[in-house]
């Protein structure tokens, strides 16, 4: 995968940012007197579209349900038809469908009890939830999906899927591609704001989670046919740049000749400039003046600022290249020209008030206000984040803006989102679109249970950590004799895939809200729930197919998949649940849901393959079982892709 870091230069901001607003719409771009009739029609049409997007991510259109692989969505369509017949006087009843692991079925409709509480006492013909469940079952449209239905307990309608339908669905995926199993959320454009290091500071392990989690969320949304704007909101503006620029001038009179090599360790350069700033009053005064000159647009200072930013980007790129992560940079400086207009618009709406010399927005239920202009007249994080949110909604037309930062910033973003709702940029309901979501995550800990650091208490550099993972992975391959069997290029690429994949998976398999302990030995173990185990499991499946000597593409076109044995059927069910798992992971912004699915898939396949009754090569059902192996490998590869992990094909 090609990796790149694109710098998007801010355009000249509009002379005036207007906040005209129609009360019935979630948010409104500016409408000026000069707006043409056709432009106005487009704006109003867009508002109408946005105003109707109030359904949850699990709600799909009929057309989308017909072409997607989600079993749950397809069953929901059938039960929706049944519910309309069963309780015609109760409109808009959403089918409650869940996968179940009990002995009664594969899926369950759980509407009966809720419906009974609504209709009892209204002269209904039913006499309790079981009777409602029976009616729901009896009113189901005929479908090749369903082999049988039964009602259990207080009206639970259990569904057993047809083995023939399951087989055909899996084989159709093999022929048409796994993209046909992609969920389709009701948004077209999303912003994922992640990674976001500070210029002139090394990327360290603290940036690891934001980068890995954000990339996976972006990948899942992209797979779901959403246009994703991958934004790197780097810290490239602020008072620290005066300090850095003056220090650069001192060390390199011809500063434009300064390179990454000449400056050396960027973190050391930053620390040295900070030490000078704190200890030398004359230098401090020059640095403060440098900020004024930079913000005033003085050419020499702008060039020095750009030089420092470019050296930092070179360092960032080393990390992104190793991780296979693509980002587009729109840092704090991009939004800076827009801030005055945004603050002016909020002030005209009556949201901004004076408080102790600063200009603030008061948020209901929060003791401290959101400061948007400091007492010295300067702007801050809140100014930038509000402006970035406005820009993403109005200029980039995003319907979902996702911020991936540590849990410590939860309150800050909560206040920003509430201010945006007060301004009318966002609708009040949490399930309405457009919307903004904060994706918090916990700390990376060392084995001592404290924040992960090196022995000399320095924060761990991310480049060093990733290189260590690859080095250990390569050593393990050589220890297993691959040095004599494989070419050097193959060893390097496998060490990349396993080493970097191990680091990613060790992070992503945890619920992102929890802290996790970084341990190389655990994450590089080839047993248990690790990337190494899963990558090797995929390679073994590929080996089975190779050893058969059969052309898998030919078998896909002309062979037939059947699911007769229980273990075959269990594997088939799990494969078919892939689409709804991705949908759940997207809806709740939880990558660990996909990791759980992938690990369980590997375990279910192992149970199938190790059963003597399910022999693959040389059995009379070889073609069918090879197709089941291939379907498992295809789904595993897509899971790896969504997690940003490169699969390996032999071990």
């Amino acid at each position: 995968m090609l990796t790149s870091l694109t710098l998007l230069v801010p355009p000249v901001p509009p002379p005036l940012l207007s906040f005209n607003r129609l009360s019935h719409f979630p948010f409104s771009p500016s409408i000026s007197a000069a707006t043409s009739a056709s432009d106005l029609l487009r704006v109003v049409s867009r508002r109408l579209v946005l105003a109707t997007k109030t359904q949850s991510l699990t709600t799909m259109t009929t057309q989308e349900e017909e072409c997607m692989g989600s079993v749950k969505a397809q069953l929901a369509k059938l039960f929706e038809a049944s519910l309309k017949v069963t309780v015609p006087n109760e409109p808009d009843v959403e089918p409650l469908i869940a996968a179940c692991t009990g002995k009664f079925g594969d899926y369950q409709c759980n509407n009966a009890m809720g419906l009974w509480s609504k209709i009892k006492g209204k002269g209904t013909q039913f006499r309790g939830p079981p009777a409602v469940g029976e009616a729901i079952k009896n009113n189901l449209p005929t479908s090749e999906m369903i082999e049988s239905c039964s009602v259990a307990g207080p009206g639970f309608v259990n569904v057993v899927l047809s083995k023939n339908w399951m087989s055909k669905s899996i084989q159709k995926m093999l022929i048409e591609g796994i993209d046909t199993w992609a969920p389709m959320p009701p948004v077209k454009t999303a912003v994922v704001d992640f990674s976001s290091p500070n210029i002139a500071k090394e990327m360290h392990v603290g940036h690891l989670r934001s980068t890995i989690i954000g990339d996976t969320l972006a990948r899942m949304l992209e797979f779901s046919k959403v246009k994703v704007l991958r934004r790197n909101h780097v810290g490239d503006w602020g008072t620290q740049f005066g300090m850095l620029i003056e220090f650069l001038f001192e060390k390199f009179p011809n500063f434009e000749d300064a390179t990454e090599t000449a400056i050396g360790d960027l973190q050391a350069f930053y620390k040295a400039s900070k030490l000078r700033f704190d200890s030398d009053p004359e230098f401090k005064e020059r640095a403060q003046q440098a900020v004024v000159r930079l913000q005033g647009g003085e050419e020499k200072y702008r060039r020095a600022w750009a030089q420092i930013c470019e050296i930092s980007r070179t360092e960032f790129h080393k990390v992104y290249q190793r991780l296979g992560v693509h980002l587009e940079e729109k840092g704090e400086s991009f939004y800076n020209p827009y801030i005055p207009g945004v603050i002016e618009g909020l002030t005209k709406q009556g949201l901004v008030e004076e408080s102790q010399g600063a200009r603030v927005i008061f948020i209901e239920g929060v003791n401290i206000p959101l400061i948007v202009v400091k007492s010295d007249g300067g702007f801050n994080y809140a100014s930038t984040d509000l402006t970035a949110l406005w820009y993403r909604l109005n200029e980039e037309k995003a319907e979902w803006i996702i911020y991936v930062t540590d849990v410590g910033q939860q309150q800050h973003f909560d206040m920003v989102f509430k201010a945006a709702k007060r301004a009318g940029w966002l609708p009040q309901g949490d399930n309405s679109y457009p919307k903004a979501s904060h994706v918090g995550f916990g700390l990376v800990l060392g084995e001592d249970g404290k924040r992960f650091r090196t022995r000399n208490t320095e924060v761990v550099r991310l480049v060093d950590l990733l290189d260590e993972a690859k080095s250990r992975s390569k050593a393990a391959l050589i220890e297993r004799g691959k040095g004599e069997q494989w070419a050097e290029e193959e060893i390097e690429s496998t060490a990349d895939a396993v080493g970097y994949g191990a680091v990613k998976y060790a992070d992503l398999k945890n619920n992102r809200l929890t802290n996790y302990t970084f341990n190389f030995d655990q994450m590089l173990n080839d047993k248990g729930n690790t990337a190494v185990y899963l990558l090797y499991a995929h390679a073994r499946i590929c080996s089975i197919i190779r050893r058969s000597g059969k052309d898998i593409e030919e078998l896909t076109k002309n062979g037939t998949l059947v699911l007769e044995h229980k273990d075959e059927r269990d594997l088939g069910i799990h494969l078919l649940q892939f689409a709804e798992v991705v949908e759940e992971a997207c809806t709740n912004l939880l990558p660990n849901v996909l990791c759980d699915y992938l690990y369980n898939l590997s375990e279910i396949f192992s149970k199938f393959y190790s059963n003597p009754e399910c022999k693959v090569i040389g059995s009379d059902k070889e073609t069918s079982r090879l197709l089941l192996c291939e379907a498992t490998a295809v789904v595993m590869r897509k899971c790896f892709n969504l997690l940003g992990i490169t699969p390996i094909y032999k071990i």
Side-chain angles (χ1 to χ4, degrees):
M1 175 182 178
L2 292 175
T3 58
S4 63
L5 182 64
T6 306
L7 173 64
L8 300 178
V9 180
V12 177
L16 177 65
L17 300 180
S18 168
F19 288 82
N20 295 325
R21 175 168 161 262
L22 299 179
S23 61
H24 296 296
F25 301 114
F27 74 88
S28 303
S30 304
I31 301 176
S32 68
T35 303
S36 69
S38 60
D39 288 340
L40 180 60
L41 180 60
R42 280 197 297 271
V43 170
V44 173
S45 296
R46 173 173 170 74
R47 288 172 173 172
L48 288 170
V49 169
L50 291 172
T52 60
K53 286 186 175 176
T54 58
Q55 71 266 48
S56 70
L57 275 174
T58 56
T59 305
M60 309 292 169
T61 68
T62 299
Q63 182 180 4
E64 289 167 347
E65 286 174 1
E66 289 173 352
C67 69
M68 65 178 296
S70 171
V71 178
K72 187 185 291 186
Q74 293 178 68
L75 285 173
K77 180 183 174 185
L78 294 173
F79 277 97
E80 182 179 21
S82 172
L83 288 165
K84 286 179 179 177
V85 175
T86 305
V87 283
N89 296 324
E90 296 293 333
D92 304 320
V93 177
E94 183 177 347
L96 303 176
I97 310 299
C100 57
T101 55
K103 60 183 178 179
F104 298 112
D106 303 311
Y107 283 82
Q108 197 172 71
C109 175
N110 301 323
N111 285 88
M113 289 183 68
L115 277 176
W116 173 247
S117 67
K118 285 185 175 183
I119 63 178
K120 65 180 179 180
K122 293 183 179 180
T124 177
Q125 60 177 317
F126 302 114
R127 293 293 178 266
V132 178
E134 284 289 345
I136 293 171
K137 183 195 77 169
N138 295 335
N139 289 327
L140 270 175
T142 302
S143 171
E144 65 171 341
M145 285 184 72
I146 298 175
E147 184 173 297
S148 65
C149 278
S150 61
V151 178
F156 299 125
V157 182
N158 295 299
V159 175
V160 176
L161 296 177
S162 159
K163 289 188 288 187
N164 184 51
W165 176 84
M166 289 167 57
S167 300
K168 285 166 59 178
S169 299
I170 294 169
Q171 195 154 0
K172 184 179 180 183
M173 179 276 289
L174 286 174
I175 293 169
E176 298 182 4
I178 196 165
D179 283 358
T180 59
W181 280 6
M184 299 187 73
V187 292
K188 299 300 181 187
T189 304
V191 169
V192 182
D193 179 327
F194 66 107
S195 195
S196 307
N198 288 316
I199 293 291
K201 291 186 178 181
E202 296 276 10
M203 285 187 75
H204 53 73
V205 73
H207 296 108
L208 180 70
R209 301 205 77 179
S210 178
T211 304
I212 291 172
I213 294 168
D215 182 55
T216 292
L217 295 177
R219 286 170 180 264
M220 290 194 297
L221 287 166
E222 287 160 348
F223 174 61
S224 304
K225 311 296 191 298
V226 176
K227 177 185 176 183
V228 178
L229 306 178
R230 294 162 159 259
R231 293 291 177 249
N232 200 5
H233 189 88
V234 297
D236 65 350
W237 203 246
T239 55
Q240 77 272 20
F241 279 95
M243 173 184 81
L244 290 164
I245 288 168
E246 279 302 316
F247 198 66
L248 183 70
F249 288 164
E250 273 194 3
K251 294 295 181 183
F252 301 94
N254 298 320
F255 68 90
E256 289 175 326
D257 296 332
T259 62
E260 178 191 355
T261 304
I263 286 180
D265 188 304
L266 201 60
Q267 189 77 355
F269 184 84
Y270 182 92
K271 286 182 177 178
S273 67
K274 183 69 166 66
L275 182 65
R276 187 74 192 282
F277 183 86
D278 291 338
S279 61
D280 187 335
E282 185 181 341
F283 177 84
K284 183 175 183 177
E285 185 176 343
R286 291 205 312 273
Q288 290 169 338
Q289 286 300 312
V291 175
V292 176
R293 291 179 174 183
L294 171 65
Q295 294 180 347
E298 195 167 322
E299 182 62 23
K300 176 183 176 182
Y301 288 82
R302 283 292 179 122
R303 292 203 313 271
W305 168 77
Q307 182 80 348
I308 294 168
C309 290
E310 190 55 38
I311 292 169
S312 273
R313 286 190 198 101
T314 302
E315 286 296 307
F316 299 161
H317 183 68
K318 292 176 183 177
V319 173
Y320 298 138
Q321 190 173 38
R322 285 163 172 77
L323 292 174
V325 171
H326 167 70
L327 284 150
E328 289 181 309
E329 182 182 308
K330 275 191 177 179
E332 293 175 351
S333 62
F334 179 90
Y335 303 102
N336 199 63
Y338 295 92
I339 294 176
V342 170
I343 301 300
E344 180 185 350
L346 292 170
T347 302
K348 286 180 178 179
Q349 287 184 280
L351 271 67
V352 178
E353 304 177 39
E354 296 288 334
S355 177
Q356 298 180 14
R359 298 172 68 190
V360 306
I361 298 175
F362 288 99
I363 306 297
E364 186 177 354
V366 183
N367 293 330
I368 56 172
L370 187 68
I371 299 172
V372 294
V373 182
K374 296 186 293 184
S375 57
D376 63 3
F379 301 127
N380 59 6
Y381 289 127
S383 320
T384 303
D385 285 335
L386 272 171
T387 302
L389 180 57
W390 179 91
Y391 184 91
R392 290 161 176 176
L393 290 168
N394 288 275
E395 300 298 325
E396 295 179 321
K397 311 301 183 189
E399 295 148 299
W400 197 4
I401 303 99
I402 298 165
Y403 297 81
V404 187
T405 73
D406 65 83
V407 291
Q409 297 187 48
Q410 177 68 54
Q411 185 184 57
H412 166 75
F413 281 105
D414 184 58
M415 293 173 72
V416 168
F417 299 160
K418 286 179 178 177
K421 289 180 179 181
R422 281 192 63 194
W425 303 352
L426 295 171
Q428 292 299 321
D430 290 336
N431 293 322
S432 302
Y433 293 92
K435 72 175 180 179
S437 303
H438 177 249
V439 175
F441 54 83
L443 298 173
V444 181
L445 306 177
E447 292 186 51
D448 58 359
K450 299 178 181 178
R451 190 187 293 265
F452 190 40
R453 296 180 183 275
T454 59
R455 289 179 181 175
N456 62 357
T457 74
E458 293 289 338
V459 175
V460 178
R461 295 174 72 241
L462 196 43
V463 168
D464 294 341
L465 182 148
L466 294 169
D467 287 348
E468 174 74 7
K470 177 184 176 179
S471 176
R472 289 180 179 230
S473 176
K474 184 176 179 180
L477 290 170
I478 292 172
E479 187 178 328
R480 293 174 56 202
K482 302 303 178 184
E484 293 80 32
Q485 301 171 23
W486 293 0
E488 180 64 23
E489 183 180 350
E490 193 168 18
I491 290 176
E492 288 290 325
S493 63
T494 304
D496 277 353
V498 175
Y500 303 151
V503 172
K504 288 186 177 185
Y505 189 81
D507 187 306
L508 294 169
K509 74 177 182 180
N510 299 284
N511 185 307
R512 57 176 168 77
L513 293 171
T514 63
N515 300 337
Y516 85 95
T517 301
F518 194 96
N519 183 300
F520 276 122
D521 291 335
Q522 289 180 6
M523 65 179 59
L524 290 167
N525 196 328
D526 61 2
K527 295 180 179 61
N529 189 9
T530 68
V532 184
Y533 167 76
L534 294 167
L535 287 166
Y536 285 3
H538 172 263
R540 289 188 187 99
I541 296 172
C542 295
S543 174
I544 293 165
I545 296 170
R546 283 195 303 269
R547 285 192 286 112
S548 75
K550 300 295 174 64
D551 184 336
I552 198 66
E553 290 187 14
E554 185 65 27
L555 293 184
T556 299
K557 293 174 185 175
N558 300 314
T560 302
L561 175 64
V562 293
L563 301 170
E564 292 183 356
H565 192 279
K566 181 183 181 300
D567 288 351
E568 292 174 321
R569 192 181 186 285
D570 288 347
L571 181 55
I573 279 281
H574 199 72
L575 290 170
L576 286 165
Q577 289 172 343
F578 168 76
E580 60 208 53
V581 167
V582 176
E583 184 178 26
E584 180 188 348
C586 279
T587 302
N588 298 317
L589 302 170
L590 290 173
N592 65 292
V593 170
L594 183 62
C595 293
D596 292 343
Y597 171 85
L598 176 58
Y599 178 66
N600 289 333
L601 175 60
S602 178
E603 293 288 275
I604 293 168
F605 177 85
S606 179
K607 181 184 177 186
F608 150 75
Y609 185 69
S610 61
N611 189 332
E613 296 177 6
C614 294
K615 180 182 177 183
V616 178
I617 299 175
S619 75
D620 58 353
K621 296 183 176 60
E622 180 180 83
T623 295
S624 172
R625 288 172 180 166
L626 283 172
L627 289 173
L628 195 53
C629 289
E630 174 67 3
T632 304
V634 168
V635 172
M636 288 188 79
R637 283 195 288 275
K638 178 49 68 174
C639 289
F640 287 139
N641 173 263
L642 297 178
L643 297 170
I645 296 172
T646 303
I648 60 174
Y649 292 82
K650 70 176 188 178
I651 53 174

